[in-house]
Each structure stands twice: as structure tokens, then as C-alpha cells.
Amino acid sequence: GLMLNKPRTIYILITHHCNCRCQMCHSWKISENELSVEDWKRGLEKLSGFLTSGTKVNVCGGEPLVKKGIIEILETLQASKKLLTGVVTNGLCIDEKMADQLMGLNLFNVNVSIDSLRSEVHDQIRGKKGAFERTDKSLDYLVAAKKIHRSHTSIILKTVLSAKNILEIPLLIEYVKEKGISGIYLQPIEQTFGTEHDNNWFSKSDLWPDDIKLVKKIIENIINDTTIRSVVLNTDEHLQSFVNYFVNPNLTNVRTANKLSLAQRAPNH
């Protein structure tokens, strides 16, 4: 019979709803009927039985933490005892209670998105006033809860590399060290999620970095600087692919490298 390879990485878009209005994502504009919590639990129990031990399951959105019953859904994934479950969040829903619940689950990782240490820039990119302050605080809640639970969960900063923050990457790396979290994962700006495909989207985006030499210099510094390299969770191959991608944004290999690297080192979007 036909032999099918089982996936090693699964991305679960749990909801399109979001409490941000990000420049690079229009998920919140998508209106679709969503599965109930019970439907998700039944489906994920069956999926868990099918998947191989060690499969990475990345729960994303939208904003997954706005989904009613999200903790029950994550508990279902964790109950299998064989999956590596991660969550990607903007951090706005994470208060002390939510941090306690997440760290109590002992997930594989929690990825928190910050695109700039300048609150006005982060808030503008994310389309939400006060977003940086709340997300910054969410990291503190997570770190504190991790210590209380003695959790093995990796807390990872997710940063979308763009014209607005290219010069801040070294500062963001230092921020990760100061916060005492596991590392930073970089991904290049792509066409706005939820919009019709456009080969020239980048020429219309104010997030697109035009100075390729600067991008190359920063990427090379990350790869070669041993004092910061361990903090950046992307593989060297993935980081190198950024340069080619910014020269020719219609390349698809950067997306493939993104998912492979994320699944292997952090582990999305």
C-alpha cells in the first residue's frame, strides 16, 4: 500500500480573532466559523494518536490566547505525553494568572512577539496603543511563573525583521539576556497575511528594508559574534537565507527555512 511519512511539525491556527491590528497580518479581518473547544479536543486527541512521539505542535492565530477554552485545548495536547507543544502570542492576554496556567502546563515553549524596544514603534507595528508595555510585563510574569513551577518551558522572543527595527536587533538580543529568557527567534517581514498575493507587495510596504548591505552586515555580525550567537535561535543557514530573500523577495526558500529552523530550534508565526 501507499506509505505516507508522518509530519514532524504541525501548525494549528486555532483562531483568526486577534486583539492587535498588525501591519503584517490581517488575520483579524478573516471571518470564519470556528471549531468549538470540544471539537478541537476530540480532533486533537485523534491527531495525537496518529503523530509520532516528539512531533512539534505549534498553536498560533490570530491570537491563540483570546480563544475561549485555550487552556483546555493545550491540556489536551499535553495529555498525550509525546508531543512538543508551543504557543505563539502577542502577550497581551498574559497576566499573572495566565502565566501561571501556561507554565503549569510545562509546554515545549511560549513565543512572545516584540518588534521594537521603542514602545511607539512596537505599538504602531502591532496596531495597539500600550502593546509594548503590556507585552514587556508579560515576559516578567512568565519568567516568575516558570521559576515557581520549575517549568522546562522555553520562553522565546519572536521578532519580525523589518525596516522599522533592523538597527535594533543588537539591542533586542541584549534585552533577551536582561530578561533572562531562552532566546530570540528572527523572521523576515513577508507579505501581509490574509491579503491577496502580490509579487510587488514589498515595494508598497514601509516595513520592507531597502538597505540590503545593512541587513547583510547585521546578519553576519549575529553569525560571527560568539557573545550573542547562542541567544539567536535561528540556524546559520536560515539567517543567511534572509540576505538572499531581501535581494529577491519572491524566493520561497526563506519560508521553508523559517519553518524548519523554527521547528528544530524554537518552536512560528
Side-chain angles (χ1 to χ4, degrees), residues 14-258:
I14 208 80
T15 181
H16 283 298
H17 292 301
C18 191
N19 46 5
C20 279
R21 298 292 181 262
C22 300
Q23 292 184 28
M24 60 284 200
C25 179
H26 288 176
S27 177
W28 53 276
K29 291 185 176 181
I30 300 172
S31 179
E32 292 181 350
N33 292 328
E34 296 188 354
L35 294 177
S36 68
V37 173
E38 291 305 315
D39 285 339
W40 271 116
K41 288 167 68 176
R42 280 193 295 270
L44 292 174
E45 283 171 358
K46 292 180 180 179
L47 181 65
S48 297
F50 167 75
L51 295 173
T52 306
S53 181
T55 300
K56 297 171 181 69
V57 178
N58 304 307
V59 180
C60 53
E63 169 51 46
L65 299 187
V66 303
K67 174 73 173 177
K68 186 176 180 181
I70 184 62
I71 297 299
E72 290 181 62
I73 292 170
L74 294 173
E75 285 173 341
T76 300
L77 287 167
Q78 288 297 86
S80 73
K81 304 292 186 183
K82 68 178 186 177
L83 303 178
L84 302 177
T85 305
V87 176
V88 183
T89 174
N90 58 37
L92 298 186
C93 292
I94 300 178
D95 53 14
E96 289 181 270
K97 180 180 178 181
M98 177 63 78
D100 182 72
Q101 290 176 309
L102 291 172
M103 289 300 125
L105 289 170
N106 202 31
L107 301 169
F108 182 53
N109 53 43
V110 175
N111 303 267
V112 181
S113 299
I114 289 184
D115 296 313
S116 174
L117 298 181
R118 293 170 291 164
S119 58
E120 68 278 8
V121 175
H122 178 79
D123 293 1
Q124 180 190 37
I125 292 173
R126 294 285 162 176
K128 184 81 170 181
K129 189 174 181 180
F132 175 80
E133 183 178 355
R134 290 168 62 183
T135 304
D136 175 63
K137 192 65 179 173
S138 77
L139 289 170
D140 295 334
Y141 291 140
L142 289 169
V143 169
K146 179 175 179 176
K147 290 178 181 177
I148 292 170
H149 286 277
R150 296 183 180 180
S151 171
H152 297 295
T153 303
S154 295
I155 303 169
I156 297 167
L157 199 72
K158 276 293 286 293
T159 298
V160 177
L161 193 64
S162 74
K164 297 285 181 72
N165 63 12
I166 186 70
L167 291 172
E168 282 192 77
I169 300 307
L171 295 176
L172 282 160
I173 292 171
E174 288 304 313
Y175 174 81
V176 165
K177 292 181 180 180
E178 291 169 8
K179 284 289 184 183
I181 60 178
S182 306
I184 182 172
Y185 184 83
L186 303 172
Q187 65 181 84
I189 184 68
E190 296 184 45
Q191 182 176 342
T192 301
F193 179 80
T195 59
E196 191 172 338
H197 179 71
D198 180 358
N199 283 331
N200 295 309
W201 69 270
F202 55 92
S203 64
K204 308 163 191 174
S205 172
D206 63 354
L207 294 177
W208 184 258
D210 296 316
D211 192 341
I212 306 303
K213 287 184 178 179
L214 178 61
V215 172
K216 185 177 181 181
K217 180 180 178 181
I218 288 173
I219 295 302
E220 288 177 348
N221 284 346
I222 292 172
I223 293 172
N224 297 320
D225 189 340
T226 56
T227 65
I228 64 173
R229 185 63 192 93
S230 62
V231 181
V232 181
L233 302 178
N234 307 67
T235 63
D236 285 354
E237 180 186 11
H238 186 209
L239 290 171
Q240 290 283 10
S241 75
F242 288 8
V243 179
N244 292 333
Y245 170 69
F246 284 123
V247 170
N248 181 3
N250 288 313
L251 289 174
T252 57
N253 65 319
V254 72
R255 293 186 180 90
T256 304
N258 174 25

